[in-house]
Amino acid sequence: MGEQKQLKKEFTVRTMTPEDYEGLRALWMTIRGFGIRSLDDSREGVERFLKRNPDTSVIAVAKDKAVVGGILCGHDGRRGCLYHVCVREDYRRLGIGKAMVVHCMNALKAEGINKVSLIAFTVNDVGNAFWNCIGWTKREDLNYYDFTLNEANITAFNQ
């Protein structure tokens, strides 16, 4: 009596397709502190990325078909990179993040890629704790540089 039954949250991890964009974008908009780039993260930008990397990006889909996790994953022929790794807040701590990362790593290995990296904002405590917990190494021996080629590609952060 007074005990609530916990609903089992079922999910499937699979390779991302361009048709997943709307669900992926809806997920991105729920993630607090998430940065969305106006051009790179548009439908056209994601489709371009998936065309270049058709087998390496992944989504997690709930039983009700909602996208509850996603990773844009690609490579340049030498090194893989993970972008926009996220899991919907109410689906965290169920193994979705790790399952998606393993999926991406296996896809990269199948394409002959031997190393993968990612960038996590220093203020992303949840994400940084996740990467540390699953055994990724934080690099202290290098500096990260970037240069904006298109000033119209603006980043907006979810509040």
Side-chain angles (χ1 to χ4, degrees):
M1 210 155 128
E3 193 177 308
Q4 288 186 326
K5 185 177 179 182
Q6 176 109 14
L7 295 175
K8 183 176 179 186
K9 294 184 178 176
E10 297 178 19
F11 63 92
T12 303
V13 172
R14 65 169 172 78
T15 302
M16 187 185 297
T17 68
E19 292 74 29
D20 296 316
Y21 179 77
E22 290 302 324
L24 182 64
R25 180 158 176 85
L27 170 65
W28 288 346
M29 299 311 290
T30 70
I31 306 295
R32 188 171 179 265
F34 202 76
I36 305 292
R37 299 195 51 81
S38 59
L39 300 177
D40 297 334
D41 298 324
S42 67
R43 174 182 291 282
E44 296 77 19
V46 171
E47 286 179 359
R48 184 175 58 249
F49 185 87
L50 294 176
K51 184 176 181 183
R52 182 176 171 87
N53 303 281
D55 301 318
T56 53
S57 294
V58 65
I59 62 165
V61 182
K63 193 174 183 178
D64 67 0
K65 307 293 186 215
V67 174
V68 295
I71 301 175
L72 289 174
C73 174
H75 69 84
D76 59 9
R78 178 181 168 102
R79 179 180 295 214
C81 192
L82 305 183
Y83 304 93
H84 289 348
V85 178
C86 61
V87 174
R88 200 170 83 184
E89 191 170 352
D90 60 329
Y91 273 77
R92 292 180 183 162
R93 303 189 64 80
L94 299 174
I96 293 173
K98 187 172 183 180
M100 291 190 309
V101 170
V102 168
H103 187 280
C104 290
M105 292 189 320
N106 286 333
L108 290 169
K109 279 192 215 175
E111 296 194 20
I113 303 302
N114 298 306
K115 191 164 188 164
V116 62
S117 62
L118 64 93
I119 298 168
F121 289 111
T122 56
V123 297
N124 182 352
D125 294 334
V126 171
N128 286 301
F130 170 75
W131 297 113
N132 185 49
C133 181
I134 66 168
W136 283 51
T137 303
K138 180 181 176 186
R139 298 284 304 261
E140 303 283 352
D141 62 329
L142 52 81
N143 294 316
Y144 175 78
Y145 297 91
D146 70 22
F147 187 87
T148 301
L149 296 174
N150 188 332
E151 296 293 332
N153 196 14
I154 306 298
T155 301
F157 291 93
N158 296 341
Q159 300 299 327

